[in-house]
Amino acid sequence: MSGGEVAGILVAVFWAILVSFLAVALARLAQTLRATTKLVADVTDQAVPLLADASAAVRSAQTQIDRVDAIASDVQEVTSNASALSSTVASTFGGPLVKVAAFGYGVRRAIGGRAKDAPAKQTRRTVIVGRPVPQARRAKRANRNKRD
């Protein structure tokens, strides 16, 4: 065998090894692609019903929002009507009721007399020069001076 024949055999062996590695890689790639295709098909089968359910939920939420909007507008109308009614009642009856209450108070005060409502008059204290201050008052004054 010459050097060229040995080189040819080595190249053929390396090509055979390379082709076998490529064949194994292509087989695994084909297996991965089949698994990916199956996974995509399964996801599609599950996603379509989920999307249909989500669409139905969104439609239901929209109808509920429309109902709440109608209720809110009705409540706003009732509130404005109640406000108008309250201002009408206050302007119609408010002034006269205050006057009647004031008149009633004046009548009660006039009939009841001022003796009950008048504040009690304070008694005047007289100081006698040379008379000693009682013991209890002296103690209070001493404590008062200590605080200052």
Side-chain angles (χ1 to χ4, degrees):
M1 275 200 186
S2 69
E5 291 175 346
V6 173
I9 292 175
L10 285 175
V11 169
V13 169
F14 283 124
W15 274 106
I17 292 172
L18 180 67
V19 168
S20 62
F21 278 130
L22 288 176
V24 170
L26 287 175
R28 288 191 179 175
L29 181 63
Q31 184 181 13
T32 304
L33 287 175
R34 269 182 263 148
T36 304
T37 304
K38 183 182 177 195
L39 180 66
V40 168
D42 290 344
V43 167
T44 302
D45 290 342
Q46 292 177 1
V48 171
L50 288 175
L51 289 175
D53 290 344
S55 176
V58 167
R59 273 189 247 112
S60 173
Q62 183 62 37
T63 57
Q64 294 299 325
I65 288 173
D66 291 341
R67 288 180 184 170
V68 168
D69 188 35
I71 290 170
S73 65
D74 290 344
V75 167
Q76 184 178 9
E77 184 180 339
V78 167
T79 302
S80 64
N81 289 343
S83 174
L85 179 65
S86 118
S87 64
T88 302
V89 168
S91 65
T92 304
F93 296 113
L97 283 178
V98 169
K99 290 177 184 176
V100 167
F103 179 74
Y105 176 75
V107 168
R108 272 186 286 143
R109 184 104 185 231
I111 291 174
R114 288 189 53 91
K116 293 178 188 173
D117 295 333
K121 291 184 177 180
Q122 293 183 353
T123 59
R124 262 184 104 164
R125 293 185 177 187
T126 54
V127 177
I128 302 172
V129 178
R131 183 172 170 200
V133 178
Q135 180 66 27
R137 285 180 51 197
R138 266 190 246 145
K140 285 182 186 176
R141 284 184 188 169
N143 289 337
R144 196 177 325 150
N145 291 338
K146 288 179 184 176
R147 283 186 227 154
D148 295 336

